Structure formats: structure tokens, C-alpha cells
Amino acid sequence: MLLDLASLESVKRFATEVLKDFPKINVLINNAGVSVPVSERRKTEDGYEINFGVNHLGHFLLTYLLLPRLKESSPSRIVIVSSMLHERGVIDFDNLNGEKGFVGAKRRMNPAYCNSKLANMLFNVELNKRIENTGVDCYALCPGFVYTNLFRYSNVKWYHYILFSPIALIFMRTPSQGAQTTLHCATAEELEGKSGYFFRNCDFYEPKVKFDPDVATKLWKVSEEMVGFDDDNSENQ
């Protein structure tokens, strides 16, 4: 089924088709992601910064639209693939689209990606609060350093590959290995009812960053506005 997370209209069409064709949804895994250098200034179809728009807003809207069916299908689960790079992220509500540039843009590869991964974590915090006692559990996770085409948009020089190859061979995981924590969160029976946690290497992991619940709530409300919903017309409150 066609789904373009850089288009809110595409997400809505996809959700409509899923709700029409699938009377039960047991697991939703929000796994897709992009890492586009901020120097490219790329936007989604709706004008949002591409990393934030795809990695957070697209998944937020998809989850938002499918949540009633997930509740009807309980026990069910929502799995949010984040990253340890969330620890480098910043949520600035006056700069979600990077209008003011990005802190650390010259010191690390993609601060916008880090910000989107922090948004994933805050989404998990607030979602967990809103689905309490519904039979739906949610989890966030880091899959590890996985050999995929996530960084296909990055301007990597040929000599970077040579320098990076030994590290890749030692530390990088295959996609199959990287999927194990996702599968653990989606299927492990012992996790039922233990919602809201963060996982790494198929085990509980305590994030070094302390998440402000007020920021998580505000991000939810701002995200609702961005995708065209609010608390007044939400079915998910």
C-alpha cells in the first residue's frame, strides 16, 4: 500500500484504506525515517522541515488516525523507532521548521534528525499517558547502528567510506539484527501492560535525558494543529 509520510494527504488516504480493509490492527510500527542534511533546506509537501515532518509528524498523524481501531483491537501495541541520537536533540517551539537555523549544525551531521528523534521520544511519553487503561501499549526504541540507506542524502566523500569501513565492520548491524528490538517490542508477551518504556538491545533502557511531561503535552497539541486536528475534534482523548 502506498504511503508517503512527507504528505499529510497521503497519510490520510492510507489510513482511510487501512481502516476500510482491516477490521483489526494489533500492532503499528512507526519505523520509517529520513536524514536529510539541513543545508538542503528540504520541506515536506505541506511545508514542514523534512526530518521533523517525516520522522515525527507523518507518524504522529498516522497513529492519531489509527488509534481508535487499535483501541478496538486491544490488546494492541504501538512501536516507535527512535534513536540514541535523541539525546542530542532540542525541541524549540519557535523553530520547529528551522527558520532560525539549527544549533550544532556545523558540529554534527544532522541536528534536525536528532530533533526529530527527540520528538519521537516525547510522542511516546504523551501517547502513553493518553492511552492509559485502553489495552494499548506503546514503546520507543533504539535499533542500534544499522547498515541501511538512511544517510543516502548525506554528502559523504569517497575517503569517508575508507575511513569509516573498519568502524562499520565492527559496530554496524545488519537490517535483520537491527530489527530485533522492534520485533521484541511488537511481540514479547512479557511486555504486555508495561507501556511507555524505552528499549535498546531487546531490553529496558533508562534514557539519560529526562523528558519534561509539559513539553511532551505541548508537542502533542502543536502537532495536532500542524496536521489539522485539535482537542475539540479529537476522538483520541
Side-chain angles (χ1 to χ4, degrees):
M1 299 174 65
L2 179 64
L3 171 60
D4 180 2
L5 287 166
S7 165
L8 298 180
E9 184 58 38
S10 176
V11 175
K12 292 174 183 177
R13 286 197 301 267
F14 176 83
T16 298
E17 291 298 310
V18 169
L19 293 172
K20 181 181 70 174
D21 294 340
F22 295 90
K24 291 189 68 176
I25 302 175
N26 301 106
V27 181
L28 171 62
I29 299 176
N30 292 322
N31 175 75
V34 296
S35 179
V36 181
V38 296
S39 58
E40 294 193 11
R41 301 182 181 275
R42 286 186 56 182
K43 306 290 185 181
T44 66
E45 183 179 284
D46 304 278
Y48 297 120
E49 194 280 320
I50 189 73
N51 296 279
F52 181 82
V54 171
N55 300 349
H56 170 64
L57 278 183
H59 288 127
F60 174 87
L61 177 59
L62 181 62
T63 305
Y64 196 96
L65 295 173
L66 298 184
L67 188 53
R69 183 63 50 85
L70 283 155
K71 291 178 179 178
E72 294 169 5
S73 307
S74 63
S76 54
R77 299 183 183 186
I78 300 168
V79 180
I80 302 167
V81 179
S82 182
S83 167
M84 293 301 293
L85 290 175
H86 76 267
E87 296 177 351
R88 302 183 184 181
V90 176
I91 297 298
D92 181 351
F93 290 105
D94 295 323
N95 192 43
L96 291 178
N97 268 326
E99 301 93 334
K100 302 176 183 178
F102 289 93
V103 175
K106 296 182 179 180
R107 290 185 286 108
R108 60 177 185 259
M109 184 178 294
N110 193 345
Y113 178 80
C114 299
N115 295 352
S116 72
K117 295 293 100 178
L118 176 57
N120 291 158
M121 298 294 285
L122 292 168
F123 177 36
N124 186 56
V125 170
E126 182 66 15
L127 178 62
N128 180 57
K129 184 175 73 175
R130 291 174 180 249
I131 60 176
E132 189 176 5
N133 299 321
T134 64
V136 183
D137 292 326
C138 66
Y139 313 102
L141 66 96
C142 173
F145 197 16
V146 186
Y147 185 73
T148 68
N149 63 352
L150 174 65
F151 297 105
R152 61 192 179 278
Y153 299 105
S154 300
N155 184 23
V156 180
K157 307 297 184 182
W158 64 268
Y159 54 84
H160 290 158
Y161 284 104
I162 296 175
L163 294 172
F164 184 68
S165 293
I167 298 175
L169 290 172
I170 296 172
F171 295 106
M172 291 195 78
R173 303 176 180 184
T174 66
S176 178
Q177 292 170 331
Q180 294 312 302
T181 303
T182 299
L183 294 174
H184 177 72
C185 291
T187 63
E189 294 182 4
E190 65 268 23
L191 299 187
E192 186 170 326
K194 299 177 181 178
S195 184
Y197 286 96
F198 181 61
F199 288 80
R200 186 184 183 193
N201 297 326
C202 295
D203 201 356
F204 295 102
Y205 183 87
E206 183 67 31
K208 296 178 182 178
V209 176
K210 299 301 180 184
F211 306 114
D212 187 334
D214 293 335
V215 174
T217 299
K218 183 174 181 179
L219 179 63
W220 181 287
K221 294 181 179 296
V222 169
S223 299
E224 281 185 321
E225 295 171 1
M226 285 179 153
V227 302
F229 292 92
D230 56 44
D231 279 344
D232 292 334
N233 62 15
S234 170
E235 300 179 25
N236 303 324
Q237 309 307 312

